Amino acid sequence: MKILVCISHVPDTTTKINFTPDNKSLITQGVQFIINPYDEIALTRALELTEKSGGSVTVINVGEATTEPTLRKALAIGAADAVRINAQPREAFFVATQIAEYIKKTPYDLILCGRESIDFNSGTVPSMVAEMLGIPSVAISKTIQVENGKAVIEREIEGGKEVIECALPLIAGCSESVAEPRIPNMRGIMSARTKPLVVVEPVQTETFTKVAGYDKPAPRSSVKLVDAAEPGKLLELLHTEKKVI
Amino acid sequence: MAVLVYTENTEGKFKKSAFEAVTYARAIADALNTSLSAAAIGDASDEELGKLAKYGAKKILKISDAQFKNYSVQGYASAITQAAQKENADVVVMLASFGGRGIAPRLAVKLKAGLAEGAVELPKIVGNFIVRKTAYSGKAFADVEIVSAKKIITLIPNSYKVEEKPETAAIENLSPSINNDDFKMTVKETVRSTSKVSLPDAEIVVSGGRGLKGPENWGMIEQLAEILGAATACSKPVSDAHWRPHSEHVGQTGITIGPNVYIAIGISGAIQHLAGVSSSKVIVVINKDPEAPFFKAADYGIVGDAFDVVPKLIEAAKAFKAGQN
Ligand SMILES: Cc1cc2nc3c(=O)[nH]c(=O)nc-3n(C[C@H](O)[C@H](O)[C@H](O)COP(=O)(O)OP(=O)(O)OC[C@H]3O[C@@H](n4cnc5c(N)ncnc54)[C@H](O)[C@@H]3O)c2cc1C
Ligand SMILES: Nc1ncnc2c1ncn2[C@@H]1O[C@H](COP(=O)(O)O)[C@@H](O)[C@H]1O
């Protein structure tokens, strides 16, 4: 089974987010970039599946040269090879088009993504790629099994879950219960340096959205403390001050 | 020109969040000086469908062909595309729910529409069409400009207030043309959680962290939640340790919620946890450590031992509820 894992390159979860004075872009200076945590989960699941029943795992990223350390990390975790589509990931439709065009030339049995990237929190790219390829997708998967060319996936639904079965090829977005992320070992880190990382030039495509600006939420006014001996006061405040209960 | 809202139902019934989507879509239709149509898939009765008119839908498209009995993301996306084409919709709205998040990107490709996922307020439509969404896991907002003629917006549940605006709406059957390739997926099993209030929809959420020591202590969390009509949630280590199911885990790697009140008990307030709850309207923190970082993100706090404070709070909540009735 050939598996492709889509990797997005995002600011570390603990990063303090700051924007340029015109509010148009993130200040990346001093920001540590990592593999999107959900993509790390997708990668781990891909490795587990190929270790069990054979096959190979390729990782792909749409990004500029600055994302290569992130791809090398994915190789260190265990991917066999990496592809970088050399373009700034402008918006979801643009990124999805690049990935879909690559897959049209190099088909895979299973394509695993994260349920969303933690910078934009959209969860758009996987389902767009699937639509462009005309194959099924599961946007938010809880568990993923593959047997006899069929995937069995538990997907999240409002107030519960649904188990679906589907022939491959298929695209799935992974949530955190899909796998326990792996930490690369020394051997992985050493071998990552020599594994293939291919750079592909992007295709031309239109874009439908752009970011007009960023803003930070207003800080909450400082906390109002209620005496631990009289927690009933809290309910009064929620009722009279905030009118939420 | 029109606005179309896709309204999800669970076993034929709409939840409050469906009416939020209708209210939101109607406000957009009003601003664009056009009318709102709603599309619903599955077996909601005409009486149930009629509820959509109460919030401003002028026309209701009912898609109930047998193929749609089971969810198929491709089938649903095709059906909604056909509804949008029939209504000549320029704007399509749906919830950023588990279902909507899977459908909207496919719809965007089919309609060649710009998509803004996870809106938290009404779009600005004067001049450029701009939708505000959260980004960087709740640490920022992004204003997304949709530059294409057709636009799709998914709305975060609980971020827009339901408001009635009764219309008399006609219910029309729509039988979309079906492509068998859209139905390759089969649903083997559907499991509904037994909890009374579903977490993404809940207006009040009572959440517990590692400070509660073990699963045996969740009785008081459940009891408080029950009295307040709240859903229960937890931090990641709690679900990792299987004290609580993963479906309750909120945060950056769990689910994102935005209830009216989030009550965090024995949770330190790590940045990854805050990512899932920072859009809550009011945050209440109960923690024995006055230095716990969560107090910095809270509106109200109680510094104290949960095992002492929560039972007292339960008694107070019983009295409060009794006083309300
Ligand atoms: C990539 C990544 C993703 C993550 N994603 C998430 C996520 O989605 N969600 C999430 O929650 N975490 C997530 N985490 C973990 C997060 O960093 C914290 O470790 C976690 O939120 C801590 O959980 P906690 O507050 O329950 O436990 P702790 O940090 O152990 O805090 C327990 C708190 O309980 C208080 N306490 C103890 N006893 C009592 C008592 N008797 N009464 C009252 N208070 C008491 C303590 O003072 C303390 O503040 C993630 C971490 C990483 C690295
Ligand atoms: N620039 C990118 N390159 C490769 N994969 C991406 C990129 N952006 C997003 N993805 C994939 O799509 C998933 C959802 O991302 P998003 O739609 O941006 O929330 C991510 O978890 C990745 O698996």
PDB file of all heavy atoms in Angstrom, chain B residues 284-316:
ATOM      1  N   VAL B 284     -15.085  30.335  34.110  1.00  0.00           N
ATOM      2  CA  VAL B 284     -15.018  30.233  35.564  1.00  0.00           C
ATOM      3  C   VAL B 284     -13.949  29.197  35.898  1.00  0.00           C
ATOM      4  O   VAL B 284     -13.954  28.105  35.324  1.00  0.00           O
ATOM      5  CB  VAL B 284     -16.371  29.759  36.137  1.00  0.00           C
ATOM      6  CG1 VAL B 284     -16.284  29.583  37.653  1.00  0.00           C
ATOM      7  CG2 VAL B 284     -17.494  30.715  35.767  1.00  0.00           C
ATOM      8  N   VAL B 285     -13.052  29.531  36.805  1.00  0.00           N
ATOM      9  CA  VAL B 285     -11.975  28.601  37.150  1.00  0.00           C
ATOM     10  C   VAL B 285     -12.013  28.275  38.638  1.00  0.00           C
ATOM     11  O   VAL B 285     -12.097  29.181  39.474  1.00  0.00           O
ATOM     12  CB  VAL B 285     -10.605  29.205  36.759  1.00  0.00           C
ATOM     13  CG1 VAL B 285      -9.460  28.396  37.341  1.00  0.00           C
ATOM     14  CG2 VAL B 285     -10.475  29.275  35.241  1.00  0.00           C
ATOM     15  N   ILE B 286     -11.977  26.999  38.950  1.00  0.00           N
ATOM     16  CA  ILE B 286     -11.882  26.558  40.346  1.00  0.00           C
ATOM     17  C   ILE B 286     -10.583  25.765  40.459  1.00  0.00           C
ATOM     18  O   ILE B 286     -10.412  24.732  39.803  1.00  0.00           O
ATOM     19  CB  ILE B 286     -13.089  25.678  40.741  1.00  0.00           C
ATOM     20  CG1 ILE B 286     -14.400  26.475  40.546  1.00  0.00           C
ATOM     21  CG2 ILE B 286     -12.950  25.178  42.188  1.00  0.00           C
ATOM     22  CD1 ILE B 286     -15.676  25.665  40.757  1.00  0.00           C
ATOM     23  N   ASN B 287      -9.652  26.293  41.243  1.00  0.00           N
ATOM     24  CA  ASN B 287      -8.341  25.668  41.327  1.00  0.00           C
ATOM     25  C   ASN B 287      -7.755  25.997  42.693  1.00  0.00           C
ATOM     26  O   ASN B 287      -7.934  27.104  43.191  1.00  0.00           O
ATOM     27  CB  ASN B 287      -7.434  26.215  40.208  1.00  0.00           C
ATOM     28  CG  ASN B 287      -6.204  25.361  39.994  1.00  0.00           C
ATOM     29  OD1 ASN B 287      -5.433  25.113  40.920  1.00  0.00           O
ATOM     30  ND2 ASN B 287      -6.018  24.898  38.764  1.00  0.00           N
ATOM     31  N   LYS B 288      -7.041  25.033  43.295  1.00  0.00           N
ATOM     32  CA  LYS B 288      -6.523  25.313  44.640  1.00  0.00           C
ATOM     33  C   LYS B 288      -5.242  26.142  44.614  1.00  0.00           C
ATOM     34  O   LYS B 288      -4.834  26.675  45.637  1.00  0.00           O
ATOM     35  CB  LYS B 288      -6.327  24.008  45.417  1.00  0.00           C
ATOM     36  CG  LYS B 288      -5.212  23.125  44.934  1.00  0.00           C
ATOM     37  CD  LYS B 288      -5.028  21.966  45.890  1.00  0.00           C
ATOM     38  CE  LYS B 288      -3.869  21.104  45.436  1.00  0.00           C
ATOM     39  NZ  LYS B 288      -3.769  19.866  46.189  1.00  0.00           N
ATOM     40  N   ASP B 289      -4.659  26.261  43.422  1.00  0.00           N
ATOM     41  CA  ASP B 289      -3.414  27.017  43.309  1.00  0.00           C
ATOM     42  C   ASP B 289      -3.713  28.424  42.784  1.00  0.00           C
ATOM     43  O   ASP B 289      -4.064  28.591  41.617  1.00  0.00           O
ATOM     44  CB  ASP B 289      -2.474  26.272  42.352  1.00  0.00           C
ATOM     45  CG  ASP B 289      -1.209  27.051  42.046  1.00  0.00           C
ATOM     46  OD1 ASP B 289      -0.973  28.084  42.695  1.00  0.00           O
ATOM     47  OD2 ASP B 289      -0.470  26.619  41.138  1.00  0.00           O
ATOM     48  N   PRO B 290      -3.535  29.466  43.632  1.00  0.00           N
ATOM     49  CA  PRO B 290      -3.865  30.815  43.146  1.00  0.00           C
ATOM     50  C   PRO B 290      -2.988  31.246  41.974  1.00  0.00           C
ATOM     51  O   PRO B 290      -3.335  32.180  41.250  1.00  0.00           O
ATOM     52  CB  PRO B 290      -3.624  31.711  44.377  1.00  0.00           C
ATOM     53  CG  PRO B 290      -2.813  30.902  45.324  1.00  0.00           C
ATOM     54  CD  PRO B 290      -3.066  29.458  45.026  1.00  0.00           C
ATOM     55  N   GLU B 291      -1.858  30.556  41.781  1.00  0.00           N
ATOM     56  CA  GLU B 291      -0.954  30.912  40.682  1.00  0.00           C
ATOM     57  C   GLU B 291      -1.299  30.159  39.390  1.00  0.00           C
ATOM     58  O   GLU B 291      -0.588  30.302  38.385  1.00  0.00           O
ATOM     59  CB  GLU B 291       0.503  30.567  41.047  1.00  0.00           C
ATOM     60  CG  GLU B 291       1.028  31.225  42.322  1.00  0.00           C
ATOM     61  CD  GLU B 291       1.128  32.725  42.156  1.00  0.00           C
ATOM     62  OE1 GLU B 291       1.519  33.160  41.066  1.00  0.00           O
ATOM     63  OE2 GLU B 291       0.775  33.451  43.109  1.00  0.00           O
ATOM     64  N   ALA B 292      -2.326  29.330  39.392  1.00  0.00           N
ATOM     65  CA  ALA B 292      -2.639  28.557  38.183  1.00  0.00           C
ATOM     66  C   ALA B 292      -2.870  29.511  37.004  1.00  0.00           C
ATOM     67  O   ALA B 292      -3.591  30.501  37.140  1.00  0.00           O
ATOM     68  CB  ALA B 292      -3.880  27.694  38.408  1.00  0.00           C
ATOM     69  N   PRO B 293      -2.228  29.245  35.872  1.00  0.00           N
ATOM     70  CA  PRO B 293      -2.333  30.189  34.747  1.00  0.00           C
ATOM     71  C   PRO B 293      -3.766  30.426  34.269  1.00  0.00           C
ATOM     72  O   PRO B 293      -4.061  31.476  33.697  1.00  0.00           O
ATOM     73  CB  PRO B 293      -1.496  29.535  33.630  1.00  0.00           C
ATOM     74  CG  PRO B 293      -1.024  28.224  34.138  1.00  0.00           C
ATOM     75  CD  PRO B 293      -1.309  28.128  35.600  1.00  0.00           C
ATOM     76  N   PHE B 294      -4.650  29.472  34.524  1.00  0.00           N
ATOM     77  CA  PHE B 294      -6.023  29.603  34.044  1.00  0.00           C
ATOM     78  C   PHE B 294      -6.705  30.860  34.605  1.00  0.00           C
ATOM     79  O   PHE B 294      -7.566  31.457  33.962  1.00  0.00           O
ATOM     80  CB  PHE B 294      -6.850  28.361  34.406  1.00  0.00           C
ATOM     81  CG  PHE B 294      -7.783  27.912  33.324  1.00  0.00           C
ATOM     82  CD1 PHE B 294      -8.091  26.555  33.164  1.00  0.00           C
ATOM     83  CD2 PHE B 294      -8.372  28.819  32.441  1.00  0.00           C
ATOM     84  CE1 PHE B 294      -8.947  26.120  32.160  1.00  0.00           C
ATOM     85  CE2 PHE B 294      -9.235  28.392  31.435  1.00  0.00           C
ATOM     86  CZ  PHE B 294      -9.521  27.052  31.297  1.00  0.00           C
ATOM     87  N   PHE B 295      -6.316  31.292  35.823  1.00  0.00           N
ATOM     88  CA  PHE B 295      -6.965  32.465  36.415  1.00  0.00           C
ATOM     89  C   PHE B 295      -6.764  33.708  35.541  1.00  0.00           C
ATOM     90  O   PHE B 295      -7.580  34.613  35.534  1.00  0.00           O
ATOM     91  CB  PHE B 295      -6.452  32.710  37.841  1.00  0.00           C
ATOM     92  CG  PHE B 295      -7.040  31.756  38.854  1.00  0.00           C
ATOM     93  CD1 PHE B 295      -6.223  30.881  39.565  1.00  0.00           C
ATOM     94  CD2 PHE B 295      -8.417  31.724  39.092  1.00  0.00           C
ATOM     95  CE1 PHE B 295      -6.758  30.001  40.503  1.00  0.00           C
ATOM     96  CE2 PHE B 295      -8.961  30.837  40.024  1.00  0.00           C
ATOM     97  CZ  PHE B 295      -8.130  29.973  40.727  1.00  0.00           C
ATOM     98  N   LYS B 296      -5.653  33.725  34.782  1.00  0.00           N
ATOM     99  CA  LYS B 296      -5.381  34.887  33.922  1.00  0.00           C
ATOM    100  C   LYS B 296      -6.345  34.940  32.738  1.00  0.00           C
ATOM    101  O   LYS B 296      -6.526  35.976  32.115  1.00  0.00           O
ATOM    102  CB  LYS B 296      -3.945  34.841  33.414  1.00  0.00           C
ATOM    103  CG  LYS B 296      -2.931  35.066  34.496  1.00  0.00           C
ATOM    104  CD  LYS B 296      -1.653  35.681  33.918  1.00  0.00           C
ATOM    105  CE  LYS B 296      -0.654  35.976  35.013  1.00  0.00           C
ATOM    106  NZ  LYS B 296      -0.152  34.724  35.646  1.00  0.00           N
ATOM    107  N   ALA B 297      -6.936  33.797  32.412  1.00  0.00           N
ATOM    108  CA  ALA B 297      -7.849  33.757  31.266  1.00  0.00           C
ATOM    109  C   ALA B 297      -9.301  33.700  31.723  1.00  0.00           C
ATOM    110  O   ALA B 297     -10.195  33.501  30.913  1.00  0.00           O
ATOM    111  CB  ALA B 297      -7.525  32.538  30.407  1.00  0.00           C
ATOM    112  N   ALA B 298      -9.535  33.870  33.032  1.00  0.00           N
ATOM    113  CA  ALA B 298     -10.873  33.638  33.574  1.00  0.00           C
ATOM    114  C   ALA B 298     -11.612  34.937  33.868  1.00  0.00           C
ATOM    115  O   ALA B 298     -10.990  35.982  34.086  1.00  0.00           O
ATOM    116  CB  ALA B 298     -10.766  32.819  34.853  1.00  0.00           C
ATOM    117  N   ASP B 299     -12.936  34.860  33.871  1.00  0.00           N
ATOM    118  CA  ASP B 299     -13.751  35.992  34.301  1.00  0.00           C
ATOM    119  C   ASP B 299     -14.026  35.912  35.803  1.00  0.00           C
ATOM    120  O   ASP B 299     -14.028  36.911  36.493  1.00  0.00           O
ATOM    121  CB  ASP B 299     -15.075  35.994  33.531  1.00  0.00           C
ATOM    122  CG  ASP B 299     -14.839  36.100  32.044  1.00  0.00           C
ATOM    123  OD1 ASP B 299     -14.547  37.211  31.586  1.00  0.00           O
ATOM    124  OD2 ASP B 299     -14.906  35.063  31.341  1.00  0.00           O
ATOM    125  N   TYR B 300     -14.296  34.682  36.265  1.00  0.00           N
ATOM    126  CA  TYR B 300     -14.540  34.463  37.688  1.00  0.00           C
ATOM    127  C   TYR B 300     -13.662  33.321  38.163  1.00  0.00           C
ATOM    128  O   TYR B 300     -13.401  32.373  37.415  1.00  0.00           O
ATOM    129  CB  TYR B 300     -16.009  34.090  37.947  1.00  0.00           C
ATOM    130  CG  TYR B 300     -16.974  35.173  37.540  1.00  0.00           C
ATOM    131  CD1 TYR B 300     -17.745  35.029  36.398  1.00  0.00           C
ATOM    132  CD2 TYR B 300     -17.093  36.337  38.298  1.00  0.00           C
ATOM    133  CE1 TYR B 300     -18.636  36.033  36.014  1.00  0.00           C
ATOM    134  CE2 TYR B 300     -17.973  37.346  37.925  1.00  0.00           C
ATOM    135  CZ  TYR B 300     -18.743  37.192  36.777  1.00  0.00           C
ATOM    136  OH  TYR B 300     -19.596  38.180  36.406  1.00  0.00           O
ATOM    137  N   GLY B 301     -13.244  33.406  39.416  1.00  0.00           N
ATOM    138  CA  GLY B 301     -12.416  32.341  39.947  1.00  0.00           C
ATOM    139  C   GLY B 301     -12.749  32.038  41.394  1.00  0.00           C
ATOM    140  O   GLY B 301     -13.222  32.911  42.125  1.00  0.00           O
ATOM    141  N   ILE B 302     -12.517  30.790  41.755  1.00  0.00           N
ATOM    142  CA  ILE B 302     -12.574  30.420  43.162  1.00  0.00           C
ATOM    143  C   ILE B 302     -11.266  29.710  43.475  1.00  0.00           C
ATOM    144  O   ILE B 302     -10.932  28.708  42.841  1.00  0.00           O
ATOM    145  CB  ILE B 302     -13.760  29.475  43.472  1.00  0.00           C
ATOM    146  CG1 ILE B 302     -15.098  30.172  43.190  1.00  0.00           C
ATOM    147  CG2 ILE B 302     -13.695  29.000  44.934  1.00  0.00           C
ATOM    148  CD1 ILE B 302     -16.329  29.323  43.476  1.00  0.00           C
ATOM    149  N   VAL B 303     -10.506  30.271  44.427  1.00  0.00           N
ATOM    150  CA  VAL B 303      -9.283  29.604  44.848  1.00  0.00           C
ATOM    151  C   VAL B 303      -9.677  28.670  45.981  1.00  0.00           C
ATOM    152  O   VAL B 303     -10.087  29.118  47.045  1.00  0.00           O
ATOM    153  CB  VAL B 303      -8.222  30.619  45.317  1.00  0.00           C
ATOM    154  CG1 VAL B 303      -6.970  29.884  45.789  1.00  0.00           C
ATOM    155  CG2 VAL B 303      -7.894  31.598  44.200  1.00  0.00           C
ATOM    156  N   GLY B 304      -9.610  27.373  45.717  1.00  0.00           N
ATOM    157  CA  GLY B 304     -10.004  26.437  46.765  1.00  0.00           C
ATOM    158  C   GLY B 304      -9.918  25.009  46.279  1.00  0.00           C
ATOM    159  O   GLY B 304      -9.688  24.755  45.093  1.00  0.00           O
ATOM    160  N   ASP B 305     -10.089  24.084  47.217  1.00  0.00           N
ATOM    161  CA  ASP B 305     -10.004  22.663  46.918  1.00  0.00           C
ATOM    162  C   ASP B 305     -11.324  22.210  46.282  1.00  0.00           C
ATOM    163  O   ASP B 305     -12.389  22.388  46.868  1.00  0.00           O
ATOM    164  CB  ASP B 305      -9.753  21.910  48.231  1.00  0.00           C
ATOM    165  CG  ASP B 305      -9.452  20.437  48.000  1.00  0.00           C
ATOM    166  OD1 ASP B 305     -10.059  19.835  47.073  1.00  0.00           O
ATOM    167  OD2 ASP B 305      -8.618  19.890  48.731  1.00  0.00           O
ATOM    168  N   ALA B 306     -11.215  21.610  45.105  1.00  0.00           N
ATOM    169  CA  ALA B 306     -12.417  21.193  44.376  1.00  0.00           C
ATOM    170  C   ALA B 306     -13.302  20.286  45.228  1.00  0.00           C
ATOM    171  O   ALA B 306     -14.527  20.351  45.145  1.00  0.00           O
ATOM    172  CB  ALA B 306     -12.018  20.465  43.097  1.00  0.00           C
ATOM    173  N   PHE B 307     -12.659  19.451  46.057  1.00  0.00           N
ATOM    174  CA  PHE B 307     -13.443  18.472  46.827  1.00  0.00           C
ATOM    175  C   PHE B 307     -14.246  19.145  47.939  1.00  0.00           C
ATOM    176  O   PHE B 307     -15.126  18.558  48.526  1.00  0.00           O
ATOM    177  CB  PHE B 307     -12.520  17.386  47.378  1.00  0.00           C
ATOM    178  CG  PHE B 307     -11.874  16.611  46.271  1.00  0.00           C
ATOM    179  CD1 PHE B 307     -10.571  16.885  45.874  1.00  0.00           C
ATOM    180  CD2 PHE B 307     -12.597  15.641  45.571  1.00  0.00           C
ATOM    181  CE1 PHE B 307      -9.994  16.193  44.822  1.00  0.00           C
ATOM    182  CE2 PHE B 307     -12.026  14.956  44.509  1.00  0.00           C
ATOM    183  CZ  PHE B 307     -10.716  15.232  44.133  1.00  0.00           C
ATOM    184  N   ASP B 308     -13.905  20.401  48.199  1.00  0.00           N
ATOM    185  CA  ASP B 308     -14.626  21.175  49.189  1.00  0.00           C
ATOM    186  C   ASP B 308     -15.604  22.123  48.477  1.00  0.00           C
ATOM    187  O   ASP B 308     -16.781  22.235  48.845  1.00  0.00           O
ATOM    188  CB  ASP B 308     -13.558  21.927  50.002  1.00  0.00           C
ATOM    189  CG  ASP B 308     -14.144  22.995  50.877  1.00  0.00           C
ATOM    190  OD1 ASP B 308     -15.165  22.710  51.522  1.00  0.00           O
ATOM    191  OD2 ASP B 308     -13.575  24.113  50.902  1.00  0.00           O
ATOM    192  N   VAL B 309     -15.125  22.763  47.393  1.00  0.00           N
ATOM    193  CA  VAL B 309     -15.919  23.801  46.719  1.00  0.00           C
ATOM    194  C   VAL B 309     -17.071  23.198  45.900  1.00  0.00           C
ATOM    195  O   VAL B 309     -18.198  23.699  45.953  1.00  0.00           O
ATOM    196  CB  VAL B 309     -15.006  24.656  45.795  1.00  0.00           C
ATOM    197  CG1 VAL B 309     -15.838  25.634  44.973  1.00  0.00           C
ATOM    198  CG2 VAL B 309     -13.957  25.391  46.610  1.00  0.00           C
ATOM    199  N   VAL B 310     -16.792  22.129  45.156  1.00  0.00           N
ATOM    200  CA  VAL B 310     -17.813  21.629  44.220  1.00  0.00           C
ATOM    201  C   VAL B 310     -19.062  21.123  44.947  1.00  0.00           C
ATOM    202  O   VAL B 310     -20.176  21.482  44.555  1.00  0.00           O
ATOM    203  CB  VAL B 310     -17.215  20.590  43.236  1.00  0.00           C
ATOM    204  CG1 VAL B 310     -18.298  20.035  42.303  1.00  0.00           C
ATOM    205  CG2 VAL B 310     -16.100  21.225  42.408  1.00  0.00           C
ATOM    206  N   PRO B 311     -18.922  20.332  46.029  1.00  0.00           N
ATOM    207  CA  PRO B 311     -20.152  19.928  46.723  1.00  0.00           C
ATOM    208  C   PRO B 311     -20.971  21.130  47.212  1.00  0.00           C
ATOM    209  O   PRO B 311     -22.197  21.128  47.109  1.00  0.00           O
ATOM    210  CB  PRO B 311     -19.631  19.097  47.910  1.00  0.00           C
ATOM    211  CG  PRO B 311     -18.315  18.559  47.434  1.00  0.00           C
ATOM    212  CD  PRO B 311     -17.736  19.648  46.584  1.00  0.00           C
ATOM    213  N   LYS B 312     -20.292  22.173  47.674  1.00  0.00           N
ATOM    214  CA  LYS B 312     -21.019  23.386  48.106  1.00  0.00           C
ATOM    215  C   LYS B 312     -21.701  24.052  46.919  1.00  0.00           C
ATOM    216  O   LYS B 312     -22.824  24.554  47.014  1.00  0.00           O
ATOM    217  CB  LYS B 312     -20.043  24.391  48.735  1.00  0.00           C
ATOM    218  CG  LYS B 312     -19.611  24.017  50.132  1.00  0.00           C
ATOM    219  CD  LYS B 312     -18.973  25.238  50.804  1.00  0.00           C
ATOM    220  CE  LYS B 312     -18.350  24.860  52.132  1.00  0.00           C
ATOM    221  NZ  LYS B 312     -16.924  25.176  52.201  1.00  0.00           N
ATOM    222  N   LEU B 313     -20.995  24.034  45.790  1.00  0.00           N
ATOM    223  CA  LEU B 313     -21.552  24.661  44.582  1.00  0.00           C
ATOM    224  C   LEU B 313     -22.788  23.883  44.122  1.00  0.00           C
ATOM    225  O   LEU B 313     -23.771  24.471  43.649  1.00  0.00           O
ATOM    226  CB  LEU B 313     -20.465  24.693  43.491  1.00  0.00           C
ATOM    227  CG  LEU B 313     -20.771  25.475  42.221  1.00  0.00           C
ATOM    228  CD1 LEU B 313     -21.140  26.923  42.510  1.00  0.00           C
ATOM    229  CD2 LEU B 313     -19.563  25.435  41.271  1.00  0.00           C
ATOM    230  N   ILE B 314     -22.733  22.564  44.268  1.00  0.00           N
ATOM    231  CA  ILE B 314     -23.881  21.732  43.881  1.00  0.00           C
ATOM    232  C   ILE B 314     -25.105  22.103  44.729  1.00  0.00           C
ATOM    233  O   ILE B 314     -26.198  22.313  44.198  1.00  0.00           O
ATOM    234  CB  ILE B 314     -23.535  20.227  44.028  1.00  0.00           C
ATOM    235  CG1 ILE B 314     -22.560  19.828  42.916  1.00  0.00           C
ATOM    236  CG2 ILE B 314     -24.792  19.355  43.990  1.00  0.00           C
ATOM    237  CD1 ILE B 314     -21.996  18.423  43.041  1.00  0.00           C
ATOM    238  N   GLU B 315     -24.882  22.251  46.026  1.00  0.00           N
ATOM    239  CA  GLU B 315     -26.003  22.624  46.907  1.00  0.00           C
ATOM    240  C   GLU B 315     -26.553  23.989  46.500  1.00  0.00           C
ATOM    241  O   GLU B 315     -27.770  24.196  46.402  1.00  0.00           O
ATOM    242  CB  GLU B 315     -25.560  22.638  48.380  1.00  0.00           C
ATOM    243  CG  GLU B 315     -25.303  21.254  48.973  1.00  0.00           C
ATOM    244  CD  GLU B 315     -26.384  20.225  48.604  1.00  0.00           C
ATOM    245  OE1 GLU B 315     -27.581  20.534  48.798  1.00  0.00           O
ATOM    246  OE2 GLU B 315     -26.028  19.128  48.105  1.00  0.00           O
ATOM    247  N   ALA B 316     -25.633  24.929  46.231  1.00  0.00           N
ATOM    248  CA  ALA B 316     -26.053  26.283  45.847  1.00  0.00           C
ATOM    249  C   ALA B 316     -26.815  26.243  44.518  1.00  0.00           C
ATOM    250  O   ALA B 316     -27.808  26.963  44.336  1.00  0.00           O
ATOM    251  CB  ALA B 316     -24.834  27.195  45.744  1.00  0.00           C
TER     252      ALA B 316
END
